[in-house]
Amino acid sequence: MDLFKSLIIILLSSVLVNNYVLSRFLGICPFLGVSKKLDQATGMGVAVTAVILLATAVTWPIQKFILDALNLGYMQTVVFILVIASLVQMLELLLKKFSPSLHKGLGVYLPLITTNCAVLGVTINNINDGFTFLESMVNTLGVGLGFLLAMVLFSGLRSRIDETNIPKPFRGLASTLIAASFLSLAFMGFAGIVENIFA
C-alpha cells in the first residue's frame, strides 16, 4: 500500500504541483506556439506524452545498465538527445502515415519536440531524483498529463482572449504572456495539497 501511495503522490505532484510547463517553465515553445487551437494543442500534448514515455523507457535502462556500468555518466546528455531525436523521427513518420491532418497541423512544432527541454528534462530529472524504473514511468506519465492539461487549458484561455475586445497595447503576445502567468499562478495553489492527501 505504501508503494501505491508513493506512486499516486508522484503522479499527482508531477501533474499539478511540479507541472513542467507552469512551475518549472520547461516546454514553453510548444506551449505558446501550438496552443491557439484545441485540436492542435491536444495533439501536441499527446505526442509529447508519447515521446517522453518512450524516452524514459529507453533512457533509464541505458543510464543504469550501460552508462553507469561503464562509468560513462558524462555522456548522458548526448546519448539522451540522440534517443529522443530518434523517437521523434519515428513518431513523425507514424503521424505522417496514419494522421496526415494532425501531422500538417503540428507543422514545424513536431520536429521541435526533439529540442523540447521538457522531454530531455524529465529523463534527466528521473535519474537525478533517484527514481526506480516504475517511479520514473509514473513521474513521466504525470509530466505528460500535466503538459497535456496545460496545453488544453491554455488553448481555452487563448480562444477566449481572441473573442474579447482588449486594449490595443495588450493584444497579441502581451495578452498571451499575461494569461500564461495567471494560469501558472493558479497552479501554485496546488502546492501542499498533494502531500496532505494521505496524511
Side-chain angles (χ1 to χ4, degrees):
M1 191 63 180
D2 289 336
L3 176 63
F4 179 73
K5 284 182 184 179
S6 68
L7 292 178
I8 292 295
I9 289 173
I10 289 171
L11 180 69
L12 291 177
S13 294
S14 58
V15 172
L16 301 173
V17 179
N18 299 318
N19 188 292
Y20 266 52
V21 177
L22 301 173
S23 295
R24 296 189 178 195
F25 307 110
L26 297 173
I28 296 293
C29 176
F31 176 69
L32 294 175
V34 193
S35 58
K36 289 182 181 178
K37 296 181 180 177
L38 180 61
D39 57 339
Q40 291 179 1
T42 305
M44 176 58 87
V46 170
V48 167
T49 302
V51 168
I52 61 174
L53 280 168
L54 288 170
T56 298
V58 173
T59 56
W60 194 94
I62 288 174
Q63 178 71 39
K64 293 297 180 184
F65 301 120
I66 298 175
L67 297 180
D68 289 348
L70 299 174
N71 292 321
L72 295 173
Y74 60 90
M75 294 292 292
Q76 180 189 58
T77 304
V78 174
V79 170
F80 283 16
I81 288 173
L82 290 173
V83 168
I84 292 166
S86 302
L87 291 171
V88 170
Q89 288 301 314
M90 288 186 343
L91 181 67
E92 184 173 8
L93 292 173
L94 288 172
L95 282 177
K96 195 172 189 178
K97 182 174 177 79
F98 296 110
S99 183
S101 60
L102 180 58
H103 181 266
K104 185 178 180 183
L106 293 175
V108 70
Y109 292 99
L110 186 58
L112 285 179
I113 294 176
T114 304
T115 60
N116 185 342
C117 52
V119 179
L120 181 62
V122 72
T123 57
I124 291 175
N125 285 335
N126 284 332
I127 303 295
N128 292 343
D129 292 342
F131 286 149
T132 65
F133 182 75
L134 179 60
E135 290 171 340
S136 295
M137 292 305 291
V138 169
N139 182 57
T140 301
L141 176 63
V143 169
L145 293 175
F147 185 84
L148 176 62
L149 178 65
M151 292 290 287
V152 169
L153 288 175
F154 197 55
S155 174
L157 280 174
R158 287 188 77 173
S159 67
R160 293 297 299 267
I161 290 170
D162 290 342
E163 296 170 0
T164 306
N165 186 16
I166 56 176
K168 193 172 183 179
F170 293 104
R171 290 182 190 158
L173 185 60
S175 61
T176 302
L177 293 176
I178 291 170
S181 65
F182 283 139
L183 186 59
S184 179
L185 284 171
F187 269 70
M188 285 183 171
F190 292 115
I193 292 176
V194 174
E195 292 80 6
N196 294 324
I197 290 175
F198 294 108

